[in-house]
Amino acid sequence: MPERRSAARRPARPSLRRRLLTFLLVPVLGVLVLDAVIGYFVALAYSNRVHDADLSDSALTLSEMIGSDALRGELTAQARFLLEYDPDGRNYYAVVSDRHGRMIGNAELEGPGAAVVTDAAPKLYDTALGHRPLRAAIMRVPNHQDPGDVLTITVAENLRDRHTRAREILFLTLPMQALLIVAVLSLVWFGVRHGLGVLEPLTARLGKRGHDLGPIGEEDVPVEILPLTRTIDDLFARMRNMLGLQERFIADAAHQLRTPLAGIQLHVERLEATNDPVQRVDALGHVHRLAARAARTSAQLLALTRTQSPDLPDHDGMAIVDLASVVPEAVAMRVHQALTLGVDLGYEGDDTPCLVRADALQVQEVIDNLVDNAFHYAGRGHAVTVSLRHDEGEVVLAVEDDGPGVDDAFLDQLGERFFRVPGGDEDGTGLGLAIVESIAERHAARVAFLHAASGGLRVELHFPAVASGKPAETTS
């Protein structure tokens, strides 16, 4: 029961069709309601025009009646009924003489507040009788019974009939508008449903891909969802990169760890097969060296994979680092090891800031790998020097040794994965300089393998210098 209640409270899944229909139908319904309102006011304007014409005709008719000799200024009962008749109430009229005052009428009607020209067409205006709004027509004509006198004739009616006619016109058009609403809603529904059908071929094609992480392509992708498919293609590219790194790491680990693990197994079998103390010590020594080699290979494989991870920031996203502060600290951390190995480790550089965009931890890893490489191949009794200098818009970090060096034929191959100089120490993994190359590429830096002046190997990293900026704090 609790699971059912939680499922009932779960929000509905977003629907593109429902969203499109909402954004289309609500405005359409609003427009149709507005059309009905406008239609009513148009009908009211038409009704007002017709009634205003009738009102003007009534004023003209009354003026003719007043001017008739037969009437002598009086209205018959039939004429009065025709003027006053209104199904919803009464109509009003008044005839006022300039000389004699009010002559006939059934109400005191106010004038328009502006002069009315004699013998002109009736003038229409809005007025009121008490709290009842009226529409009136007024005109001035000469009094033929009394030369020199002018009569003001006013005829008025209430507004009920006008609104009644407007509503009747609106109700006559409502069925047509209702039919229009149904037709529009049906067309919108059909249009949305048919329009979303263009996604079906793309959906079917993606459903058949299986584990394929290739680009979706754009041949059957609507323009409106191209940004989405391009984003998915970018995601697929990152996933392919990650899977490629994973597969490469597994293959490299299997290849590089096979030899030391096989050697460990062989020497363990020697231990089990002999009781000779000398052979047992020799076997244990081999096991120790092979285990250390396997551990170092694993660590460097992981380090190389980390440097190629797409999750790391690119060069433009890195903080500003002062290498004049980072490099001496990294060198100082290796002094004790250098003394143990009998290597003369030194640093050359001044206090001038060397600002670059970099990851301080990766810079330290570069120095560690270059120093380890120099320690390993130079050997006891030799010197290793780390230097830092400015050179034409670049900051150059260099590590050199006075060891046996590398032949020209092999300089271009340094930095390749698992490459070891022929005739060198087989305990190396061939990954240290590859890690340096990978980190340099992420930092937009250039790596150069050169002969040192003392005959050994010199490795230079050329970082683009930063003109100014506040260096980020670094932690050791």
Side-chain angles (χ1 to χ4, degrees):
M1 291 298 293
E3 293 182 359
R4 291 184 179 179
R5 281 196 291 269
S6 63
R9 289 193 296 267
R10 188 177 300 163
R13 189 183 300 274
S15 169
L16 180 59
R17 178 180 286 106
R18 184 168 58 246
R19 187 176 181 85
L20 286 174
L21 289 174
T22 300
F23 277 104
L24 290 173
L25 294 181
V26 172
V28 167
L29 289 174
V31 169
L32 292 175
V33 171
L34 180 63
D35 177 66
V37 174
I38 293 175
Y40 172 76
F41 284 104
V42 169
L44 181 60
Y46 176 76
S47 178
N48 284 332
R49 183 182 300 176
V50 172
H51 280 75
D52 284 349
D54 291 341
L55 199 60
S56 297
D57 290 342
S58 297
L60 291 171
T61 301
L62 181 56
S63 68
E64 292 176 358
M65 290 181 180
I66 295 298
S68 173
D69 293 337
L71 292 176
R72 299 182 181 276
E74 296 292 338
L75 293 177
T76 64
Q78 182 180 7
R80 186 179 294 110
F81 174 78
L82 291 175
L83 285 172
E84 296 179 357
Y85 175 74
D86 182 0
D88 299 319
R90 296 185 62 189
N91 286 339
Y92 305 94
Y93 66 95
V95 178
V96 180
S97 170
D98 288 352
R99 289 182 179 178
H100 308 291
R102 177 177 171 180
M103 297 177 61
I104 56 175
N106 61 356
E108 294 291 339
L109 299 174
E110 296 182 0
V116 180
V117 179
T118 304
D119 274 342
K123 181 177 182 179
L124 297 165
Y125 66 99
D126 294 320
T127 185
L129 186 62
H131 298 290
R132 179 179 297 180
L134 302 175
R135 182 70 168 169
I138 187 171
M139 62 182 302
R140 287 172 60 82
V141 297
N143 187 353
H144 298 292
Q145 303 296 330
D146 185 2
D149 187 20
V150 178
L151 301 178
T152 300
I153 300 173
T154 307
V155 179
E157 65 179 9
N158 58 35
L159 306 180
R160 293 179 184 174
D161 192 53
R162 298 169 181 251
H163 290 283
T164 301
R165 298 291 86 78
R167 285 194 294 271
E168 290 176 354
I169 295 174
L170 177 62
F171 291 149
L172 287 174
T173 60
L174 277 180
M176 185 182 301
Q177 294 206 4
L179 181 61
L180 177 63
I181 290 174
V182 172
V184 169
L185 296 183
S186 301
L187 289 174
V188 170
W189 176 268
F190 175 79
V192 170
R193 187 170 184 177
H194 181 72
L196 291 178
V198 73
L199 298 177
E200 294 178 0
L202 175 62
T203 304
R205 182 162 63 85
L206 292 178
K208 298 177 181 178
R209 288 168 66 92
H211 298 289
D212 181 14
L213 294 179
I216 295 175
E218 301 181 358
E219 63 274 7
D220 58 351
V221 178
V223 175
E224 290 76 12
I225 65 171
L226 269 179
L228 174 62
T229 57
R230 288 170 179 169
T231 302
I232 295 175
D233 283 343
D234 291 340
L235 175 62
F236 283 173
R238 291 195 294 272
M239 291 182 66
R240 290 196 303 272
N241 189 18
M242 292 295 295
L243 291 174
L245 288 175
Q246 182 182 18
E247 292 172 358
R248 185 183 300 173
F249 174 79
I250 293 173
D252 291 344
H255 179 268
Q256 293 299 313
L257 296 179
R258 179 174 54 196
T259 300
L261 291 178
I264 290 174
Q265 183 178 2
L266 174 64
H267 291 293
V268 168
E269 291 174 354
R270 285 181 57 199
L271 282 171
E272 293 176 345
T274 183
N275 292 321
D276 185 355
V278 175
Q279 292 188 13
R280 292 178 68 87
V281 170
D282 180 68
L284 285 173
H286 280 86
V287 168
H288 177 73
R289 287 193 297 274
L290 289 170
R293 178 181 173 185
R296 177 171 173 77
T297 300
S298 300
Q300 289 205 307
L301 281 172
L302 288 172
L304 180 60
T305 303
R306 282 197 303 269
T307 63
Q308 297 171 337
S309 173
D311 295 332
L312 294 175
D314 57 10
H315 175 254
D316 293 335
M318 295 179 181
I320 297 177
V321 175
D322 184 6
L323 293 186
S325 174
V326 173
V327 174
E329 292 179 2
V331 173
M333 294 173 63
R334 305 302 300 272
V335 170
H336 179 73
Q337 182 185 7
L339 294 175
T340 303
L341 296 175
V343 176
D344 181 11
L345 176 63
Y347 170 73
E348 294 180 356
D350 53 29
D351 295 333
T352 304
C354 298
L355 302 180
V356 299
R357 288 195 176 275
D359 184 325
L361 295 178
Q362 291 193 359
V363 171
Q364 184 168 341
E365 190 164 358
V366 165
I367 296 172
D368 286 340
N369 278 279
L370 291 178
V371 170
D372 282 341
N373 187 75
F375 283 174
H376 193 76
Y377 289 101
R380 181 177 294 275
H382 289 275
V384 175
T385 304
V386 180
S387 62
L388 190 67
R389 61 185 174 85
H390 283 279
D391 184 17
E392 297 181 356
E394 294 182 329
V395 174
V396 181
L397 168 64
V399 177
E400 70 173 59
D401 61 74
D402 60 356
V406 178
D407 291 340
D408 291 337
F410 303 119
L411 280 179
D412 292 339
Q413 293 179 268
L414 296 179
E416 294 181 3
R417 297 158 62 89
F418 308 117
F419 174 76
R420 292 191 289 267
V421 177
D425 192 344
E426 292 297 324
D427 288 339
T429 63
L431 291 174
L433 296 181
I435 293 173
V436 172
E437 286 269 17
S438 179
I439 294 176
E441 181 180 357
R442 186 172 290 276
H443 286 70
R446 177 169 52 88
V447 182
F449 299 102
L450 309 168
H451 292 294
S454 57
L457 177 66
R458 177 180 176 87
V459 182
E460 293 184 348
L461 272 77
H462 296 252
F463 292 89
V466 177
S468 62
K470 182 179 180 181
E473 296 183 359
T474 58
T475 56
S476 59

